[in-house]
């Protein structure tokens, strides 16, 4: 086993002077370190969810700024993942992982003490830059640690469980912290994880890189970053201001042009930043599209569930986190069982079945009302978590298996880009649905002046805060109207998400035929 691993590390360019692994114990300990890395990134993506009401009260962001606080991390992460994945293949996956972890700790400090919305958005963007160096390295190092397919599938299952369960557990962790500390504490919790990752990663992880990487094409990096970031910016601005704003079509055209130039250039290069010919493999394409569409539908709705639980149902941050705990359990169990389920049912049935369950569960969220039973919520959260855990883990395995070992960093980055891009696009697009529906639900109310009504239309948090300063029935009427409008908008977004994910399931079924 040790000889097999050493051979695999040599093939992928291990550069350590000592043997990278001395046996199973050290390899699985290395996996535990990689789990720390993925937890650092995915928990940070969702831990902020329950802090949104507190941030709204403290920093008073506009509805646009609120979307950017949620989006900036994911879309910067998405914009840089392909470039960072290719960079890890060239300079070493372990080296880039450790550099990224140190940068993540520094950016967490900036975010924790942000004095205003602009500062917090910038700090979240820096966290996205750092996170982009971590995620591709964690998945590609698994391929170096576990060259045997069956064992690698088990390792990816554990990695996927950490990723999906960590994302689901983010709100719970945030709830515990917010019960006792201010909202900045959700960022400070990253620091001990960063310290462990730096110490244990430097000791346990092997170095791994492409032995013949070629030079890093800076023009490809520029096209990739420009295309992805501009495209998400266009969707986010369209969500906040509509498509008539001049910057929306300009950014959209720039995004499409950047991605087109990126693809065209990759086809001409001998050592492309990303081998786009990988998409000729239907497993690879189905896995990437499956991950993107599933997360796209999920993220936009779940981002607003914390506001529903706290501001509509009146739960404390901790109780709201506990209410979402079934999603954590479902994601963890499904991710670990993915390899077994895939062997028994096949990759096609497993991926499509997971997406179908996710679509139906999101559709059930469209039936939410202000007094929906918590038992029904728990069942839906369990289904959402289990389906997402299955889809995410299986997609990562399919992508990694379809790509050559030497290009595992870039291939892993494609999988993570789909996840993060889906998150950013989901929040932006379904946020636009909520933004379009919500203000219309707050009409002229007795005892509510025009200035207060305008303030209340900015966000549900602003409406609840404004209602507290109005006397008696006027305040109750404003709060009730705002909550009803929010639930109506969120329900519509959930139904649209369900339709999209079910259409994606049909597409995956078609792509994976004869496989």
């Amino acid at each position: 086993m040790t000889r097999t691993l050493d051979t695999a590390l040599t093939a992928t360019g291990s550069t350590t002077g000592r043997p990278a692994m001395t046996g199973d114990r050290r390899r699985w300990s290395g996996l535990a370190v990689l789990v720390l890395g993925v937890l650092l990134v995915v928990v940070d993506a969702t831990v902020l969810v329950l802090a949104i009401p507190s941030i709204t009260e403290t920093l008073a962001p506009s509805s646009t700024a609120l979307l950017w606080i949620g989006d900036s991390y994911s879309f910067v992460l998405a914009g840089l993942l392909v470039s960072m994945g290719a960079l890890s293949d060239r300079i070493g996956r372990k080296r880039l992982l450790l550099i990224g972890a140190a940068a993540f700790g520094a950016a967490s400090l900036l975010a924790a003490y942000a004095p205003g919305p602009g500062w917090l958005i910038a700090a979240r963007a820096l966290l996205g830059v750092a996170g982009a160096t971590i995620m591709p390295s964690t998945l590609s190092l698994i391929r170096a640690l576990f060259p045997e397919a069956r064992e690698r599938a088990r390792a990816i299952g554990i990695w996927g469980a950490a990723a999906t369960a960590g994302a689901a557990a983010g709100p719970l962790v945030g709830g515990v912290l917010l019960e006792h500390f201010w909202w900045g504490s959700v960022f400070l919790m990253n620091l001990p994880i960063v310290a462990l990752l730096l110490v244990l990663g430097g000791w346990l992880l092997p170095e791994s890189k492409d032995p013949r990487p070629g030079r890093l094409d800076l023009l490809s990096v520029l096209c990739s970053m420009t295309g992805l970031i501009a495209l998400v910016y266009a969707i986010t601005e369209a969500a906040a201001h509509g498509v008539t704003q001049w910057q929306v079509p300009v950014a959209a055209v720039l995004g499409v042009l950047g991605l087109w130039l990126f693809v065209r250039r990759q086809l001409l290069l001998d050592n492309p930043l990303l081998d786009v010919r990988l998409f000729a493999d239907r497993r690879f394409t189905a896995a990437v599209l499956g991950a993107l569409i599933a997360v796209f539908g999920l993220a936009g709705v779940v981002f607003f569930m914390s506001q529903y639980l706290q501001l509509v149902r009146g739960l404390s941050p901790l109780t709201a986190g506990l209410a979402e705990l079934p999603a954590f359990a479902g994601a963890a169990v499904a991710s670990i069982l993915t390899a077994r389920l895939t062997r028994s049912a096949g990759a096609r049935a497993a991926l499509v079945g997971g997406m179908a369950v996710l679509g139906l569960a999101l559709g059930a969220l469209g039936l939410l009302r202000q007094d929906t039973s918590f038992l029904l919520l728990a069942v839906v959260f369990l289904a959402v978590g289990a389906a997402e855990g299955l889809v995410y883990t299986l997609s990562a395995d399919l992508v990694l298996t379809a790509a050559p070992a030497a290009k595992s960093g870039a291939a892993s980055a494609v999988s993570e880009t789909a996840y993060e891009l889906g998150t950013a696009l989901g929040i932006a697009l379904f946020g636009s649905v909520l933004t379009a529906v919500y203000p219309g639900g707050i009409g002229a109310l007795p005892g509510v002046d025009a200035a207060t009504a305008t303030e209340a239309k900015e966000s549900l948090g602003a409406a609840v805060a404004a209602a507290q300063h109005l006397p008696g029935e006027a305040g109750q009427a404003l709060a009730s109207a705002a909550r009803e409008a929010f639930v109506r908008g969120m329900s519509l977004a959930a139904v649209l998400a369900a339709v999209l994910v079910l259409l994606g399931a049909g597409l995956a079924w078609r792509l994976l035929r004869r496989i």
Side-chain angles (χ1 to χ4, degrees), residues 152-172:
R152 183 172 65 245
R154 182 183 169 197
I156 291 176
I158 295 172
W159 177 91
T164 54
L172 176 60

Side-chain angles (χ1 to χ4, degrees), residues 74-127:
S74 291
F75 94 78
V76 171
L77 190 59
L80 291 174
L81 274 167
V82 171
S83 300
M84 292 300 182
L87 183 63
S88 74
D89 287 337
R90 286 162 170 78
I91 71 169
R93 291 142 192 163
K94 172 183 174 179
R95 178 183 299 176
L96 193 63
L97 173 66
L98 298 181
I99 291 172
F104 205 93
S108 296
L109 279 173
L110 293 176
Y113 296 101
W119 183 292
L120 181 56
I121 291 170
R124 291 274 289 165
L126 290 175
L127 282 167

Side-chain angles (χ1 to χ4, degrees), residues 29-212:
S29 297
L31 177 63
V33 175
L34 298 178
V35 165
L36 280 178
V38 74
L39 282 174
L40 186 67
V41 177
V42 299
V43 170
D44 204 78
T46 59
V47 73
L48 192 64
V49 167
L50 285 181
I52 290 297
S54 299
I55 291 171
T56 301
E57 182 180 351
T58 306
L59 302 183
S62 65
S63 57
T64 304
L66 199 60
L67 281 178
W68 277 106
I69 288 171
D71 250 349
S72 56
Y73 177 79
S74 291
F75 94 78
V76 171
L77 190 59
L80 291 174
L81 274 167
V82 171
S83 300
M84 292 300 182
L87 183 63
S88 74
D89 287 337
R90 286 162 170 78
I91 71 169
R93 291 142 192 163
K94 172 183 174 179
R95 178 183 299 176
L96 193 63
L97 173 66
L98 298 181
I99 291 172
F104 205 93
S108 296
L109 279 173
L110 293 176
Y113 296 101
W119 183 292
L120 181 56
I121 291 170
R124 291 274 289 165
L126 290 175
L127 282 167
V129 174
T133 68
I134 296 174
M135 286 300 281
S137 297
T138 62
L139 189 54
S140 55
L141 280 169
I142 287 177
R143 180 155 189 168
L145 287 169
F146 301 96
E148 195 271 321
R150 189 182 182 98
E151 200 172 37
R152 183 172 65 245
R154 182 183 169 197
I156 291 176
I158 295 172
W159 177 91
T164 54
L172 176 60
V173 175
V176 172
L177 291 172
L178 293 168
E179 195 77 8
H180 303 285
F181 307 103
W182 95 114
W183 60 264
S185 62
V186 302
F187 295 107
L188 292 182
M189 73 166 192
N190 293 333
L191 300 182
I193 302 177
V194 166
L196 280 174
L197 184 56
L198 290 173
V199 173
L200 297 178
W203 175 40
L204 291 170
L205 292 177
E207 186 55 282
S208 167
K209 62 182 179 181
D210 187 347
R212 294 181 296 276

